[in-house]
Amino acid sequence: MVEMFKNMSSLVSPSDASSQTYQCCERVLNINPSITQFMLPLGININMDGTALYEMAAAVFIMQFNGIPINWSKLFTIGLTAAVASVGQAGIPATGTTTTLFILTIIEVPANHASLLLAIERLIDRCSGVVSVLGDCFGVALVEHLSTEELLKMNDVSSDSLVTAICDPDDLQQPHGPLTLERKPLHTS
């Protein structure tokens, strides 16, 4: 897992790290592949918490830099807009500046000082990517922890269906023998 985060410094977005995230979750953390194949695509495209945190911090910084008073309604608007904007953000580098300008326009803050953020955009972009990938990994691990009983039930049902298909008592009475090539439906009771 540490190696994946070391490699994140050379990557430019969480979308670039998707194959390494799959490998880390399945091989290193031993998370069930059915969970990673369901959760990680959602997390990679929707869970951009690093970007949302960056956009909120950048908007508050620009407001404080300009001497604009911050009230709860503006903070709520910034948070809601950052959450929505980060979900719709493309997985390419340096989109945080664009969405930050969008947020500043919505809360009616002059965006002329947002150019200060361009100097550190590459560093912040990588840090927000690491936070987003780490959030995806935590989410996948949490879902696996909460669904261990369901996974065990699914494994028991699949092994029962295999035993039923090979050793079905109805097959013993038929002239062609106990092993058949026909697929029989799973008997549920």
Side-chain angles (χ1 to χ4, degrees):
M1 183 120 157
V2 173
E3 184 174 322
M4 182 183 71
F5 291 116
K6 286 180 187 176
N7 292 336
M8 274 298 292
S9 63
S10 64
L11 297 173
V12 290
S13 72
S15 299
D16 292 340
S18 62
S19 63
Q20 290 178 348
T21 307
Y22 277 102
Q23 290 175 3
C24 177
C25 287
E26 292 175 1
R27 294 181 186 164
V28 178
L29 300 176
N30 295 323
I31 294 176
N32 191 327
S34 63
I35 292 177
T36 58
Q37 291 170 3
F38 176 72
M39 289 292 299
L40 282 179
L42 290 173
I44 290 169
N45 292 315
I46 295 173
N47 182 27
M48 297 291 205
D49 47 0
T51 304
L53 289 171
Y54 161 67
E55 291 170 357
M56 278 196 71
V60 170
F61 170 74
I62 297 296
M63 287 175 68
Q64 287 179 339
F65 189 78
N66 287 326
I68 298 172
I70 302 170
N71 56 24
W72 286 106
S73 64
K74 284 195 179 184
L75 282 177
F76 180 75
T77 305
I78 291 170
L80 183 66
T81 309
V84 171
S86 66
V87 169
Q89 183 178 2
I92 56 175
T95 55
T97 304
T98 308
T99 52
T100 302
L101 292 174
F102 172 68
I103 291 170
L104 292 174
T105 305
I106 287 178
I107 59 173
E108 299 175 352
V109 172
N112 55 352
H113 293 291
S115 61
L116 294 172
L117 299 173
L118 290 175
I120 58 169
E121 176 65 32
R122 285 184 67 87
L123 175 67
I124 297 296
D125 201 28
R126 281 163 174 71
C127 291
S128 68
V130 169
V131 170
S132 295
V133 169
L134 187 61
D136 297 341
C137 292
F138 281 144
V140 168
L142 180 68
V143 167
E144 190 200 29
H145 176 72
L146 294 175
S147 63
T148 51
E149 292 179 16
E150 288 83 5
L151 289 171
L152 290 174
K153 288 178 185 177
M154 285 176 32
N155 289 338
D156 288 343
V157 168
S158 64
S159 64
D160 288 346
S161 65
L162 179 63
V163 170
T164 303
I166 294 175
C167 301
D168 193 2
D170 294 336
D171 288 338
L172 295 174
Q173 298 171 359
Q174 294 179 1
H176 56 275
L179 296 176
T180 63
L181 297 176
E182 300 173 353
R183 297 192 93 186
K184 296 201 177 236
L186 177 65
H187 301 289
T188 57
S189 49

